[in-house]
């Protein structure tokens, strides 16, 4: 927008110091701030037939007063006025609280317009607004604004109206005409006017569409500009190795790669060979085979004369990965080592020395890898698994242990595309969207709590066949203590129920990491047949002989988490089962259970989860790096997001964008946001 709009709101005739101060409290300082303070909803006084109105819905009706109003006082100030109103074929009751003065104004047969909540059972409207007379022929949608302090919604409407009257013409359009014409977008000036004071639903829709597109386009321009800058300025490692040697290695793997694995290996290898620093996210559902992809990439870095590091969030996982990589890389001549906090003393010293001298090619570890004492000879590739568990800071430290090593983030949380392109926009994304052949799908059932006994008998049958089971206890977000207590209770209940016939293990967050490891070891060696646990087993644990996953109070978990838990079974050759024990009260809860029984595809689930819970909740925490948009909603407006994304990518790499005067406003925006100087996105 133009500089004129950067002036303080006091420049608006009719806004004085007092109002200006009240507006400041809300962060509204300039005229632009005020114009960009959009309504969060609209009052819509559309007349509707009561037959179409649902219970508890807000409605506006027009009718004739049919009975003398009766007035009751509760206290001196609190009163209740009721009268009968004839609305078309309906005779309904209208209730007004604390407006005693209306009594004298309402006479029989007088036409009034009432807005309020419709109680279908009582055929009553509790009026929030009552106007004498009929509804005017042409009505606008009335904007409703968030306000604070001394401000009122009506006041806010007036201030914005004043701002538009005086400065509306000064609103410039950052979008060039070619772009606007291509999508038939209204001008910014028109859009801002219409988002505040729409004359129809259609006008509002067009205004929103236009502003959302601009918002997404600017965001995507920032991301693509940042990527371009990063690519052009990063002095990464250009890995050089013999492709034949790598192919030979792939040939002798115990199984052929799936099509999806081949594709992502290609993408990763291409990045590694290029002089750019790889910054890639590898997404693949649980069991889709990410480990072997990691092994291939690590081998490529070793073939190029560099070292590789794989960082995972827990010791159990580190050990498991070390074992799998040892096995996969056994035919190749590489040295692999493990580094966790339980590796101590002489052994630790030896690992650190060999790492610094280059005698270790591949290191697998936990946070231990990012400690100061860890030095690499020549780090070429860093891989992190289950990346959402690591902070941005930890990833940076590991990355800085080498000179611009390539970086690959692996995650088993399928991130819906819409979120991936917003939250991880500055990364390249590879997706393994195909399971290895012959995998049996986990059969999922939803049962109510009263059927628990049958579930326990089912577990017993599987255990008698030599299989094992997980029992996940309800999650209590507010209190780890209660969480643990729950697990202890379920553990003793099961011990009781099976009368000592089977070994029942207990796992929760209060155990030390040695204790946890011990429990996991016992379970993986089948010394323990049934493992009662809180959600700590969620990440990556691999016990192929376990075929039953029982999840208590499953409605408390999000779909993404349920899917992770279910991924703990179905890892061997036997048919596996997931049993959700839940009596969900909400529709959304029931829906989640249904979806779980219907699909095992993590991407389908994650899209559904996003729909049901919204982007804010998807990652569980606020640290997700999801940008907040003023108007745009990445779920509902994903089509606009996709279009804006591809437009932004084209623009950034076009000659016109950097030279044509029609793109000046957009270029200026990029300059001001700092991305052109290689600064980080916030
Ligand atoms: P995740 O993506 O969950 O880390 P893993 O890498 O642990 O999955 O792989 C799961 C299992 O599938 C492992 O036992 C692995 O050996 C096997 N696997 C991986 N890729 C293939 C393939 N192309 N064909 C057959 N089995 C495979
Ligand atoms: Mg894995």
């Amino acid at each position: 927008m133009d500089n004129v709009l950067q002036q303080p709101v006091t420049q608006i005739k009719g806004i004085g110091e007092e109002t200006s101060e009240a507006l400041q409290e809300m962060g509204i300082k300039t005229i632009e701030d005020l114009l960009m303070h959009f309504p969060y909803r609209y009052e819509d006084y559309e007349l509707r037939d009561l037959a179409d109105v649902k219970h508890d819905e807000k409605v506006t009706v027009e009718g004739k007063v049919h009975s003398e109003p009766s007035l009751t006082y509760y206290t001196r100030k609190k009163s209740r006025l009721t009268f009968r109103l004839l609305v078309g074929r309906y005779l309904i009751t209208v209730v007004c609280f604390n407006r005693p003065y209306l009594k004298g104004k309402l006479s029989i047969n007088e036409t009034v317009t009432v807005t309020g909540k419709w109680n279908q059972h009582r055929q009553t409207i509790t009026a929030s607004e009552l106007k004498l007379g009929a509804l005017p022929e042409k009505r606008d949608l009335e904007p409703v604004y968030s306000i604070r302090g001394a401000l009122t919604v009506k006041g806010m409407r007036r201030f914005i109206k004043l701002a538009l009257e005086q400065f509306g013409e000064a609103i410039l359009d950052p979008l060039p005409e070619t772009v606007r014409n291509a999508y038939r977008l209204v001008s910014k000036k028109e859009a801002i006017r219409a988002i505040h004071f729409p004359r129809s639903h259609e006008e509002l829709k067009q205004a929103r569409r236009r502003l959302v597109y601009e918002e997404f386009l600017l965001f995507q321009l920032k991301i693509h500009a940042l990527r371009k800058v990063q690519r052009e300025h990063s002095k990464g490692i250009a890995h050089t190795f013999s492709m034949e040697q790598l192919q030979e290695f792939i040939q002798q793997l115990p199984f052929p790669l799936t099509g999806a694995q081949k594709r992502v290996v290609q993408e990763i290898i291409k990045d590694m060979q290029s002089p750019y620093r790889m910054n890639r996210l590898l997404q693949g559902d649980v069991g889709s085979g990410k480990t072997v992809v990691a092994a291939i990439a690590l081998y490529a870095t070793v073939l190029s004369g560099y070292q590789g590091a794989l960082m995972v969030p827990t010791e159990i996982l580190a050990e498991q990965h070390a074992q799998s990589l040892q096995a996969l890389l056994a035919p190749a001549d590489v040295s692999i080592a493990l580094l966790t906090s339980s590796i101590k003393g002489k052994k630790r010293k030896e690992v650190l020395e060999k790492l610094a001298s280059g005698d270790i090619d591949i290191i697998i570890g936990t946070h231990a890898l990012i400690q100061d004492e860890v030095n690499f000879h020549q780090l070429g590739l860093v891989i992190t698994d289950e990346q959402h568990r690591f902070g941005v800071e930890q990833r940076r430290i590991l990355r800085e242990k080498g000179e611009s090593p390539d970086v690959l983030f692996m995650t088993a949380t399928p991130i819906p595309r819409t979120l991936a392109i917003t939250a991880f926009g500055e990364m390249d994304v590879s997706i393994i969207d195909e399971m290895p052949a012959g995998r049996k799908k986990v059969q999922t059932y939803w049962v109510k709590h009263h059927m628990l006994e049958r579930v326990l008998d089912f577990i017993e049958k599987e255990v008698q066949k030599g299989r094992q089971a997980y029992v996940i206890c309800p999650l209590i977000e507010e209190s780890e203590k209660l969480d643990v207590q729950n697990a202890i209770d379920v553990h003793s209940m099961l011990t009781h129920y099976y009368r000592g016939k089977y070994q029942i293990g207990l796992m929760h967050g209060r155990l030390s990491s040695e204790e946890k490891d011990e429990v996991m070891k016992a379970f993986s060696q089948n010394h323990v047949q049934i493992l009662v646990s809180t959600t700590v087993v969620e990440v990556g644990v691999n016990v192929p002989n376990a075929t039953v996953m029982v999840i208590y109070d499953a409605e408390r978990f999000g779909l993404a988490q349920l899917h992770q838990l279910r991924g703990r079974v179905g890892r061997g050759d036997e048919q596996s089962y997931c049993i959700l024990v839940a009596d969900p009260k909400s529709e959304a809860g029931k829906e989640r259970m249904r979806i779980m029984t219907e699909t095992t595809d993590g991407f389908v689930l994650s899209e559904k989860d996003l729909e049901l819970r919204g982007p804010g909740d998807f990652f569980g925490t606020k640290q997700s790096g999801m940008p907040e948009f003023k108007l745009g909603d990445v779920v509902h407006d994903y089509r606009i997001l996709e279009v804006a994304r591809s437009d932004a990518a084209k623009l950034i790499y076009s000659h016109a964008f950097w030279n044509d005067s029609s793109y000046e406003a957009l270029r200026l925006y990029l300059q001001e946001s700092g991305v052109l100087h290689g600064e980080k996105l916030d």
Side-chain angles (χ1 to χ4, degrees):
M1 285 197 196
D2 197 31
N3 278 340
V4 182
L5 302 180
Q6 299 299 336
Q7 300 178 93
V9 289
T10 44
Q11 289 297 313
I12 300 167
K13 292 193 193 83
I15 293 188
E17 279 304 326
E18 217 170 298
T19 304
S20 154
E21 265 168 40
L23 288 170
Q24 284 232 4
E25 296 266 301
M26 300 193 63
I28 299 172
K29 297 190 182 102
T30 64
I31 301 166
E32 177 175 338
D33 293 341
L34 183 60
L35 289 173
M36 297 296 280
H37 186 64
F38 297 148
Y40 66 91
R41 67 177 183 88
Y42 300 84
E43 208 69 78
D44 182 0
Y45 297 111
E46 199 184 1
L47 287 182
R48 287 166 63 193
D49 191 329
L50 280 173
D52 303 332
V53 182
K54 292 198 194 79
H55 179 68
D56 261 3
E57 242 184 335
K58 202 172 168 183
V59 65
T60 297
V61 295
E62 194 184 280
K64 284 194 159 65
V65 178
H66 197 73
S67 73
E68 281 294 331
S70 80
L71 181 64
T72 324
Y73 276 95
Y74 304 111
T75 66
R76 221 162 59 84
K77 285 197 170 158
K78 295 202 165 160
S79 67
R80 179 176 192 266
L81 181 98
T82 54
F83 63 93
R84 307 279 277 166
L85 185 72
L86 188 64
V87 182
R89 305 170 273 140
Y90 300 89
L91 189 60
I92 66 166
T93 304
V94 176
V95 183
C96 297
F97 287 103
N98 311 326
R99 271 170 290 180
Y101 51 86
L102 285 174
K103 182 169 164 68
K105 295 189 176 171
L106 297 168
S107 40
I108 304 254
N109 262 337
E110 165 121 35
T111 299
V112 293
T113 307
V114 179
T115 302
K117 216 188 213 181
W118 173 234
N119 184 323
Q120 195 172 33
H121 316 310
R122 299 193 170 161
Q123 300 279 297
T124 297
I125 291 182
T126 306
S128 54
E129 248 174 282
L130 190 150
K131 283 184 195 145
L132 298 182
L135 205 58
E137 260 319 295
K138 217 179 87 47
R139 295 167 308 274
D140 294 346
L141 293 164
E142 282 187 14
V144 182
Y145 298 95
S146 64
I147 44 166
R148 225 181 288 154
L151 293 166
T152 63
V153 171
K154 280 195 176 133
M156 194 61 102
R157 282 180 198 153
R158 195 162 57 85
F159 304 142
I160 290 172
K161 206 161 231 155
L162 289 172
L164 277 170
E165 278 164 14
Q166 200 180 338
F167 292 100
E169 289 303 312
I171 300 173
L172 297 184
D173 205 321
L175 298 183
E177 225 171 280
T178 45
V179 174
R180 254 162 48 205
N181 289 344
Y183 299 121
R184 295 170 204 266
L185 298 173
V186 297
S187 72
K188 178 137 183 182
K189 195 163 62 190
E190 170 56 18
I192 299 265
R193 186 208 51 80
I195 195 106
H196 289 294
F197 303 107
R199 286 182 287 237
S200 65
H201 284 280
E202 180 57 24
E203 219 181 69
L204 176 61
K205 196 172 125 193
Q206 293 305 332
R208 224 190 139 265
R209 186 168 74 95
R210 144 75 214 220
L211 293 170
V212 169
Y213 175 81
E214 179 182 321
E215 189 172 34
F216 284 161
L217 182 75
L218 291 178
F219 175 73
Q220 292 290 344
L221 278 175
K222 238 159 78 169
I223 283 181
H224 281 93
L226 187 74
R227 266 166 81 156
K228 185 165 180 278
V229 170
Q230 276 176 355
R231 276 183 179 268
E232 284 167 6
H233 294 273
S234 75
K235 296 183 291 288
I237 299 165
H239 283 89
T240 45
F241 53 86
S242 143
M243 238 355 209
E244 268 162 44
Q245 230 175 322
L246 191 71
Q247 282 303 343
E248 266 169 43
F249 171 69
I250 294 173
Q251 288 304 323
Q252 58 74 49
L253 286 169
F255 42 74
L257 296 184
T258 63
Q261 282 170 326
K262 277 187 202 152
R263 194 186 64 237
V264 303
V265 163
Q266 285 270 323
E267 289 165 353
I268 292 165
I269 291 299
K270 205 168 142 230
D271 269 6
M272 289 177 68
Q273 288 171 326
S274 86
Y276 306 129
R277 195 173 62 76
M278 173 163 76
N279 187 25
R280 190 171 277 280
L281 179 70
L282 174 61
Q283 286 192 54
D285 211 341
V286 194
S288 63
K290 293 182 293 295
T291 314
V292 67
V293 173
I296 294 168
L298 287 167
Y299 186 51
T301 204
V302 175
L303 283 180
S304 312
Y306 291 92
Q307 292 167 296
L310 172 63
M311 183 161 79
V312 299
T314 66
E315 296 209 0
I316 304 170
L317 272 181
E319 279 168 26
Q320 274 182 11
H321 269 100
Q323 274 170 21
S324 335
L325 288 177
Q326 292 276 13
L328 286 167
L329 289 162
D333 179 28
V334 292
S335 78
I336 300 176
L338 181 69
L339 188 65
T340 63
S341 45
S342 25
I343 291 172
K344 296 191 176 101
K346 225 174 89 193
K347 177 79 187 134
R348 184 178 195 85
K349 198 158 157 268
E350 191 191 320
V351 170
L352 291 175
E353 275 170 13
K354 285 188 167 171
L355 206 53
S357 67
D359 287 333
I360 289 173
D361 297 314
I362 293 171
I363 187 92
I364 295 144
T366 53
H367 296 84
L369 284 185
I370 57 173
Q371 280 156 3
D372 275 346
E373 51 173 357
V374 181
N375 289 303
F376 289 83
H377 176 60
Q378 237 190 350
L379 183 59
L381 173 67
V382 171
I383 303 181
T384 62
D385 196 6
E386 311 296 345
Q387 62 96 26
H388 59 291
R389 297 256 161 168
F390 291 112
V392 176
E393 188 57 16
Q394 292 164 325
R395 286 181 230 149
R396 188 186 58 79
I397 297 173
L398 184 57
R399 201 164 61 219
E400 287 178 358
K401 285 193 176 286
E403 254 175 74
S404 300
D406 284 331
V407 182
L408 181 68
F409 306 100
M410 302 200 294
T411 175
T413 309
I415 302 165
R417 215 183 125 62
T418 44
L419 286 193
I421 66 180
T422 41
F424 299 100
E426 82 280 15
M427 282 191 219
D428 295 296
V429 179
S430 290
I431 300 177
I432 308 184
D433 50 6
E434 179 187 352
M435 286 287 172
R439 203 52 76 68
K440 286 200 183 80
K441 281 191 180 154
V442 178
Q443 289 181 13
T444 304
Y445 301 96
W446 166 27
V447 304
K448 303 279 171 73
H449 275 279
H450 66 82
M451 291 163 74
L452 193 62
E453 217 162 300
R454 281 169 63 184
V455 174
L456 298 183
D457 292 344
F458 181 76
I459 293 178
E460 181 156 28
K461 266 200 209 117
E462 284 292 301
V463 170
Q464 280 169 352
K465 279 194 238 162
R467 307 280 99 76
Q468 290 163 274
Y470 295 94
V471 178
I472 306 298
C473 300
L475 166 89
I476 297 173
E477 302 259 7
E478 313 84 59
S479 154
E480 198 198 347
K481 209 168 143 191
L482 287 179
D483 230 19
V484 170
Q485 191 53 48
N486 255 329
I488 294 170
D489 290 348
V490 171
H491 180 262
S492 71
M493 185 273 282
L494 290 182
T495 309
H496 215 78
Y497 190 86
Y498 296 119
R499 285 183 232 96
K501 279 183 279 181
Y502 317 108
Q503 286 301 313
I504 300 172
L506 176 62
M507 173 86 139
H508 55 68
R510 287 279 168 100
L511 300 181
S512 70
S513 56
E514 287 91 55
E515 287 169 321
K516 275 187 211 157
D517 278 353
E518 220 163 281
V519 176
M520 267 335 285
K521 211 166 272 167
F523 189 59
S524 67
Q525 292 167 357
N526 202 357
H527 297 323
V528 159
Q529 286 75 48
I530 301 170
L531 182 63
V532 175
S533 176
T534 57
T535 53
V536 291
V537 292
E538 182 190 335
V539 178
V541 169
N542 188 25
V543 179
N545 191 47
T547 53
V548 185
M549 166 61 68
V550 175
I551 307 172
Y552 258 86
D553 284 357
E555 78 275 14
R556 298 209 187 177
F557 299 95
L559 282 174
Q561 204 176 10
L562 289 172
H563 183 61
Q564 283 299 312
L565 288 168
R566 179 167 60 185
R568 296 311 110 219
V569 295
R571 303 176 84 83
D573 297 330
E574 304 298 327
Q575 177 61 53
S576 289
Y577 308 88
C578 175
I579 300 166
L580 309 167
V581 184
D583 298 326
K585 300 219 166 41
S586 70
E587 266 315 305
K590 287 177 195 160
E591 180 69 8
R592 283 208 298 275
M593 296 308 107
R594 272 195 290 271
I595 294 167
M596 278 299 290
T597 58
E598 279 162 14
T599 181
T600 51
D601 182 327
F603 281 94
V604 171
L605 280 165
S606 74
E607 295 282 354
K608 292 276 186 196
D609 207 19
L610 185 58
E611 265 171 44
L612 289 175
R613 296 200 298 167
D617 285 341
F618 184 80
F619 291 96
T621 53
K622 282 277 168 205
Q623 52 96 294
S624 59
M626 274 298 291
E628 301 238 344
F629 294 108
K630 221 175 153 67
L631 271 185
D633 174 328
V634 295
V635 182
H636 291 106
D637 302 319
Y638 77 94
R639 266 180 241 271
I640 305 182
L641 181 63
E642 294 268 338
V643 171
R645 174 181 146 88
S646 99
D647 288 352
K650 275 185 223 138
L651 280 177
I652 287 290
Y653 289 95
S654 75
H655 180 76
F657 182 78
W658 300 102
N659 297 285
D660 230 73
S661 63
S662 61
Y663 293 104
E664 202 170 328
L666 292 177
R667 283 200 301 271
L668 197 70
Y669 166 80
L670 283 186
Q671 239 153 40
E672 280 170 0
S673 64
V675 293
L676 297 186
H677 317 296
E679 285 165 32
K680 252 309 294 126
L681 273 180
D682 41 45

